[in-house]
Amino acid sequence: MDHQEIMTRLQEEFGRQYGSADGAELWFAPGRVNLIGEHTDYNGGHVFPCAITIGTYALVRKREDGLLRYTSLNQDPGRVYEKKISDIEAYTPEDGWTNYANGMIKAMQDNGYPVTFGFDAVIYGNIPVGSGLSSSASLLTLIGVILRAFNGIDVTNEKIAWLGQYTENHYIGVQSGIMDEFAIAMGKKDHAIYLDTATLNFTYAPIDLSGYKLMIMNTNKKRGLHDSKYNERVAECTRALHDLQKELNLATLGALSPEEFDQVSYLIEDPVCRKRARHAVYENDRTKRAVEALNKGDLQAFGDLMNESHLSLRDDYEVTGIELDTLAQTAWMVDGVIGARMTGAGFGGCAIAIVKDEAVERFTKKIVDTYTKEIGYAPSVYAAEIGDGPGRIG
Ligand code: GLA
């Protein structure tokens, strides 16, 4: 669906559920892909994500009475969730997907940003849920910027990203880092964000892909971070850090270079935790080198580091699985592929590849054929575009 079709569908549903759509506003927040720097953001390392042009739309109208009404075109369609702002306390299974929106309100209230005005909303997302392209961070950020406007709250996009992470950590129960929300809240067309998650210092890096496409390969294997081993990986890294801190004055794993890590890694007692920490440290270093390579215009060096990143996520971090490995390994064999790796948390979800324009057709066919044969169902393969952050669009 293009923008106009989305607007029409949202207006129809708005009219059906809440009466006329007069005075309703259209808002959008993107999804994201991470180019490199995976599972480094809760280890004080660097990440290099970008916002993409698919994301989450909301047609919303402010209410004066502190009531929230939500419905979605793609999650429990036809069902309207209602909640009073004053009744929001904690994650509630019956609230379904609206827990993300309620959680964002709670996060704002907890952190000194009072929310009094509610809204009627119809939501539509064109990021497949559970695909690792951050549909949940997109929804969180979208609600954040809408609440800011409706309640006249003085809060920056960086802080909204932080509030999104706070929601994930404290309301949803996923110990995620800040990458997804930051990439979405701070997204900029044709740029990736080089973010140091230890300090939240960041720079924009122009991504000039003329002659190439950034391809997304979706395993179509669904997973939520709740039911994945995500929190287990966070805990393994924390344990590794604690072991190191017994002897060293160290704030995060991201503070170590690979050479320093190799000298002290014997301090980490559990060999599994040692492998996890090795990934975090080496991936952080790879991310720094990848951005340097890109700044020098060396796209092939960038692609080689993407491939190394996937191998480390497969062997040391163990978050890839047969589906993502099949996608990456198939991509590596296609002529014209500069680099390919899983993106996001892993355990299913999506992989990405940088592919020469003239190889895109061949690449797509090879991926679809091989994956379908090996896994038993088809992947989705399409080109991504790097887009802007959230805002009102109509
Ligand atoms: C998920 C989390 C992020 C990050 C990635 C892995 O997307 O939400 O914070 O940890 O996984 O890099």
Side-chain angles (χ1 to χ4, degrees), residues 306-326:
M306 288 173 74
N307 300 348
E308 282 177 36
S309 164
H310 186 91
L311 290 173
S312 175
L313 289 155
R314 182 188 75 185
D315 300 337
D316 276 348
Y317 223 64
E318 299 183 272
V319 291
T320 55
I322 179 81
E323 296 85 1
L324 286 167
D325 288 338
T326 303

Side-chain angles (χ1 to χ4, degrees), residues 32 34 37-42 47 132 134 168 174-181 223 225 230 342-346:
R32 67 99 189 86
N34 187 20
E38 217 65 83
H39 289 282
T40 50
D41 66 343
Y42 48 86
V47 292
S134 287
E168 295 264 17
V174 176
Q175 299 312 314
S176 52
I178 199 167
M179 170 173 73
D180 302 348
E181 283 83 7
R223 91 290 177 276
L225 290 192
Y230 186 88
M342 57 155 271
T343 189

